[in-house]
Amino acid sequence: MKPDIRDRADIQQLVDTFYTKVRADETIGYLFNDVAKVNWEAHLPRMYDFWENILFQTGGFKGNPMAAHVQLHQRSPLTAAHFQHWLKLFLSTVDELFEGDKAELIKQRAQSIATMMQIKVHPSNDPRSIM
Protein backbone atom coordinates (compact mmCIF):
# COMPACT_ATOMS: atom_id res chain seq x y z
CA MET A 1 0.00 0.00 0.00
CA LYS A 2 1.23 3.46 -0.90
CA PRO A 3 1.19 6.34 1.56
CA ASP A 4 -1.23 9.24 1.30
CA ILE A 5 0.00 12.80 0.78
CA ARG A 6 0.76 14.03 4.31
CA ASP A 7 2.91 17.16 4.13
CA ARG A 8 5.10 19.51 2.10
CA ALA A 9 7.78 16.83 1.64
CA ASP A 10 5.20 14.66 -0.13
CA ILE A 11 4.11 17.64 -2.24
CA GLN A 12 7.75 18.22 -3.21
CA GLN A 13 8.15 14.57 -4.20
CA LEU A 14 5.00 14.75 -6.32
CA VAL A 15 5.92 18.05 -7.99
CA ASP A 16 9.53 17.01 -8.67
CA THR A 17 8.49 13.66 -10.13
CA PHE A 18 5.75 15.26 -12.23
CA TYR A 19 7.91 18.03 -13.68
CA THR A 20 10.72 15.59 -14.46
CA LYS A 21 8.18 13.82 -16.68
CA VAL A 22 6.88 17.10 -18.13
CA ARG A 23 10.33 18.34 -19.12
CA ALA A 24 10.98 15.16 -21.09
CA ASP A 25 7.47 14.87 -22.53
CA GLU A 26 7.09 15.03 -26.32
CA THR A 27 3.61 16.54 -26.20
CA ILE A 28 3.94 19.38 -23.69
CA GLY A 29 7.62 19.57 -22.75
CA TYR A 30 8.36 22.19 -25.41
CA LEU A 31 5.83 24.57 -23.84
CA PHE A 32 7.84 24.59 -20.62
CA ASN A 33 11.34 24.26 -22.09
CA ASP A 34 11.19 26.28 -25.33
CA VAL A 35 8.21 28.62 -25.14
CA ALA A 36 7.99 29.58 -21.45
CA LYS A 37 11.70 28.87 -20.88
CA VAL A 38 10.90 27.97 -17.28
CA ASN A 39 13.53 28.74 -14.67
CA TRP A 40 13.08 25.50 -12.76
CA GLU A 41 14.98 26.67 -9.67
CA ALA A 42 12.43 29.45 -9.24
CA HIS A 43 9.38 27.60 -10.59
CA LEU A 44 9.51 24.42 -8.51
CA PRO A 45 9.32 26.15 -5.10
CA ARG A 46 6.32 28.15 -6.40
CA MET A 47 4.67 24.89 -7.44
CA TYR A 48 5.36 23.41 -3.98
CA ASP A 49 3.61 26.46 -2.48
CA PHE A 50 0.76 26.23 -5.01
CA TRP A 51 -0.04 22.56 -4.45
CA GLU A 52 0.53 22.75 -0.71
CA ASN A 53 -1.98 25.60 -0.60
CA ILE A 54 -4.42 23.70 -2.84
CA LEU A 55 -4.29 20.61 -0.62
CA PHE A 56 -3.68 21.99 2.87
CA GLN A 57 -4.93 25.63 2.59
CA THR A 58 -1.62 27.02 3.86
CA GLY A 59 -2.04 30.43 2.23
CA GLY A 60 1.58 30.22 1.10
CA PHE A 61 1.02 30.76 -2.62
CA LYS A 62 1.08 34.20 -4.19
CA GLY A 63 0.57 34.51 -7.91
CA ASN A 64 -1.87 34.36 -10.78
CA PRO A 65 -1.51 31.07 -12.66
CA MET A 66 -4.49 31.85 -14.88
CA ALA A 67 -2.88 35.02 -16.22
CA ALA A 68 0.41 33.21 -16.76
CA HIS A 69 -1.30 30.54 -18.85
CA VAL A 70 -3.25 33.10 -20.89
CA GLN A 71 0.06 34.84 -21.67
CA LEU A 72 1.65 31.51 -22.60
CA HIS A 73 -1.30 30.77 -24.90
CA GLN A 74 -0.69 34.07 -26.68
CA ARG A 75 2.88 32.97 -27.43
CA SER A 76 2.02 29.38 -28.40
CA PRO A 77 -1.58 28.14 -28.58
CA LEU A 78 -2.60 25.79 -25.79
CA THR A 79 -5.08 23.19 -26.99
CA ALA A 80 -7.55 20.97 -25.20
CA ALA A 81 -5.15 18.11 -25.97
CA HIS A 82 -2.37 19.93 -24.08
CA PHE A 83 -4.55 20.32 -20.99
CA GLN A 84 -5.74 16.71 -21.15
CA HIS A 85 -2.17 15.46 -21.53
CA TRP A 86 -0.99 17.59 -18.59
CA LEU A 87 -3.83 16.16 -16.51
CA LYS A 88 -3.08 12.58 -17.56
CA LEU A 89 0.58 13.00 -16.53
CA PHE A 90 -0.39 14.60 -13.23
CA LEU A 91 -2.96 11.96 -12.32
CA SER A 92 -0.66 9.09 -13.25
CA THR A 93 2.12 10.63 -11.15
CA VAL A 94 -0.18 10.89 -8.14
CA ASP A 95 -1.29 7.28 -8.62
CA GLU A 96 2.32 6.13 -8.99
CA LEU A 97 3.35 7.67 -5.66
CA PHE A 98 0.31 7.94 -3.40
CA GLU A 99 -3.13 6.67 -2.50
CA GLY A 100 -5.70 7.85 -0.01
CA ASP A 101 -8.05 10.74 0.68
CA LYS A 102 -5.53 13.54 0.02
CA ALA A 103 -4.31 11.81 -3.15
CA GLU A 104 -7.90 11.66 -4.40
CA LEU A 105 -8.48 15.29 -3.40
CA ILE A 106 -5.40 16.57 -5.25
CA LYS A 107 -6.52 14.68 -8.38
CA GLN A 108 -9.98 16.26 -8.15
CA ARG A 109 -8.44 19.69 -7.71
CA ALA A 110 -6.09 19.12 -10.67
CA GLN A 111 -9.10 18.22 -12.83
CA SER A 112 -10.87 21.43 -11.79
CA ILE A 113 -7.76 23.53 -12.36
CA ALA A 114 -7.20 22.06 -15.83
CA THR A 115 -10.85 22.71 -16.73
CA MET A 116 -10.80 26.30 -15.46
CA MET A 117 -7.50 27.11 -17.18
CA GLN A 118 -8.84 25.73 -20.44
CA ILE A 119 -11.96 27.90 -20.09
CA LYS A 120 -9.85 31.00 -19.33
CA VAL A 121 -7.54 30.34 -22.27
CA HIS A 122 -10.43 29.52 -24.66
CA PRO A 123 -13.45 31.48 -23.33
CA SER A 124 -15.51 30.57 -26.41
CA ASN A 125 -15.27 26.89 -25.35
CA ASP A 126 -16.92 27.58 -22.00
CA PRO A 127 -20.08 25.43 -21.93
CA ARG A 128 -21.79 28.21 -19.94
CA SER A 129 -21.44 30.56 -22.95
CA ILE A 130 -23.64 28.28 -25.08
CA MET A 131 -26.65 28.53 -22.76
Side-chain angles (χ1 to χ4, degrees):
M1 186 165 162
K2 298 172 201 157
D4 200 357
I5 303 170
R6 298 167 304 235
D7 53 26
R8 185 175 177 95
D10 290 338
I11 295 288
Q12 287 176 307
Q13 180 187 13
L14 172 60
V15 167
D16 289 345
T17 303
F18 172 67
Y19 280 110
T20 295
K21 292 177 183 182
V22 164
R23 286 183 267 193
D25 189 78
E26 292 180 11
T27 303
I28 62 173
Y30 79 94
L31 291 165
F32 293 83
N33 299 321
D34 303 327
V35 179
K37 297 184 189 316
V38 172
N39 172 343
W40 293 104
E41 287 183 27
H43 188 66
L44 290 174
R46 288 178 55 79
M47 292 299 92
Y48 306 152
D49 290 346
F50 177 79
W51 287 107
E52 186 180 33
N53 187 53
I54 291 293
L55 201 55
F56 299 113
Q57 295 86 43
T58 59
F61 178 76
K62 305 289 185 253
N64 187 341
M66 295 295 182
H69 286 82
V70 168
Q71 291 171 358
L72 179 61
H73 175 66
Q74 292 169 349
R75 295 182 5 220
S76 181
L78 302 175
T79 66
H82 289 131
F83 287 101
Q84 288 306 309
H85 191 74
W86 175 92
L87 184 61
K88 178 182 164 189
L89 282 176
F90 190 86
L91 299 180
S92 68
T93 304
V94 173
D95 288 341
E96 172 187 320
L97 299 171
F98 303 103
E99 61 185 36
D101 292 342
K102 292 292 186 186
E104 290 305 313
L105 180 58
I106 205 168
K107 291 190 302 184
Q108 291 169 6
R109 299 276 168 85
Q111 174 72 56
S112 297
I113 290 165
T115 300
M116 288 309 300
M117 284 198 181
Q118 191 171 345
I119 289 168
K120 293 286 186 184
V121 167
H122 298 284
S124 62
N125 291 340
D126 183 349
R128 296 171 297 182
S129 67
I130 297 170
M131 297 177 172

